[in-house]
């Protein structure tokens, strides 16, 4: 039998973004308040429909640029020109996840150093960085004096999956350096781990671990006093992508 596209119901594909950064020593996610139905007035993750002329990676990169002004990290570019780390997270296809029509969302995880206050764009009426614990524990924000309301669509689940991906992946990979500027101290990297995991780490053990893995951190030859106290040595991310043995997340 020849293929008949009219025999199958149409559906749309979207990309949703879990954009994480560390602000004021807290792991924060970008949330936008929807300015249009469905779920008008509710907080949601940024994202949008995939255009007919773009693939998933292009759509995610476009939405990231529109929502944050960030370009995707290019490993071939000089360090100072690198942008945000972007990777595919998971696919969400519950038939009832979008009241408009059947919509399948391919979520992506984006990580970047301390980012400025966001500006709302597209169909968003407002945008903000919110601590992930507030978004997950309260299941979102209501409108005005209203109580907490779930994030729009299935975005609470998508956010939880993105946060867990970041928390688990920094145990064994160099992903935590994506939260740091091009040059950073071991103390600044440790505070990233503490913010993502929500725990306090022993400074000496941490320093020994991250500097003991060949190629994980590379000294730049410079120092800084931006954290106060004595000058601290500056590093950049090295070529090693795995932390071996891994730095296991403390039990909380």
């Amino acid at each position: 039998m020849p293929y008949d596209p009219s025999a199958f119901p149409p559906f749309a594909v979207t990309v949703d973004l879990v954009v994480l950064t560390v602000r004021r020593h807290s792991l924060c996610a970008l949330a936008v308040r929807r300015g249009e139905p469905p779920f008008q007035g509710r907080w949601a993750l940024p994202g949008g429909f995939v255009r007919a002329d773009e693939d998933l990676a292009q759509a995610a990169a476009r939405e990231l640029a529109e929502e944050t002004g960030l370009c995707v990290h290019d490993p071939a570019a000089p360090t100072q020109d690198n942008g945000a780390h972007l990777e595919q997270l998971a696919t969400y296809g519950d038939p009832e996840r979008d009241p408009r029509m059947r919509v399948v969302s391919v979520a992506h995880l984006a990580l970047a150093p301390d980012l400025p206050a966001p500006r709302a764009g597209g169909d968003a009426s407002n945008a903000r960085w919110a601590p992930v614990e507030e978004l997950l524990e309260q299941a979102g924000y209501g409108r005005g004096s209203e109580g907490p309301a779930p994030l729009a669509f299935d975005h609470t689940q998508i956010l939880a999956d993105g946060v867990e991906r970041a928390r688990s992946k920094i145990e064994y990979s160099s992903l935590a350096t994506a939260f740091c500027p091009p040059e950073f101290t071991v103390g600044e990297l440790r505070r990233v781990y503490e913010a993502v995991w929500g725990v306090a780490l022993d400074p000496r053990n941490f320093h020994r671990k991250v500097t003991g893995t060949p190629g994980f951190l590379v000294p730049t030859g410079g120092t800084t006093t931006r954290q106060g106290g004595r000058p601290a040595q500056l590093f950049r991310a090295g070529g090693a992508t795995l932390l071996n043995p891994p730095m296991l997340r403390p039990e909380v």
Side-chain angles (χ1 to χ4, degrees):
M1 295 291 291
Y3 170 67
D4 179 11
S6 65
F8 301 91
F11 69 93
V13 178
T14 62
V15 290
D16 287 309
L17 297 173
V18 179
V19 185
L20 301 178
T21 193
V22 175
R23 290 171 58 86
R24 301 181 185 89
H25 308 298
S26 295
L27 182 63
C28 296
L30 180 61
V32 297
R33 191 189 290 274
R34 291 186 56 80
E36 300 176 359
F39 304 109
Q40 184 173 6
R42 292 261 289 276
W43 291 97
L45 299 176
F49 287 93
V50 177
R51 295 172 180 171
D53 61 346
E54 61 187 3
D55 61 25
L56 294 173
Q58 291 171 331
R62 172 180 54 79
E63 288 290 342
L64 181 66
E66 291 175 357
E67 297 288 353
T68 68
L70 288 170
C71 295
V72 176
H73 168 86
D74 180 2
T79 301
Q80 62 269 24
D81 294 333
N82 283 345
H85 170 88
L86 182 68
E87 65 179 63
Q88 195 172 121
L89 175 62
T91 302
Y92 301 83
D94 189 302
E96 305 299 325
R97 65 178 303 276
D98 192 316
R100 292 169 294 189
M101 63 180 297
R102 180 72 189 272
V103 176
V104 173
S105 178
V106 182
H108 288 69
L109 175 65
L111 310 177
D114 186 21
L115 297 174
R119 292 180 296 177
D123 64 353
S125 62
N126 194 8
R128 63 169 294 183
W129 291 109
V132 295
E133 294 302 331
E134 292 184 14
L135 287 173
L136 295 175
E137 290 177 4
Q138 299 181 16
Y141 294 92
R143 300 186 58 183
S145 60
E146 297 177 8
L151 295 175
F153 306 104
D154 51 0
H155 288 185
T156 299
Q157 182 61 56
I158 296 176
L159 174 60
D161 292 346
V163 170
E164 180 54 32
R165 167 75 67 86
R167 286 174 172 167
S168 61
K169 198 167 181 179
I170 66 172
E171 292 185 337
Y172 62 87
S173 77
S174 60
L175 187 65
T177 61
F179 288 104
C180 296
E183 296 186 355
F184 51 88
T185 68
V186 171
E188 289 169 337
L189 180 61
R190 174 172 51 82
R191 281 185 279 276
V192 166
Y193 275 84
E194 291 177 335
V196 174
W197 284 344
V199 297
L201 299 175
D202 180 77
R204 291 186 178 181
N205 288 339
F206 181 85
H207 190 284
R208 183 168 55 252
K209 178 64 181 178
V210 297
T211 58
T213 299
F216 187 67
L217 299 182
V218 177
T220 66
T223 60
T224 181
T225 57
R226 61 183 174 226
Q227 298 298 316
R230 299 169 56 185
Q233 188 176 10
L234 285 168
F235 294 84
R236 61 176 175 82
T241 58
L242 296 178
L243 195 58
N244 187 25
M247 186 182 320
L248 299 181
R249 191 186 336 176
E251 296 288 340
V252 294

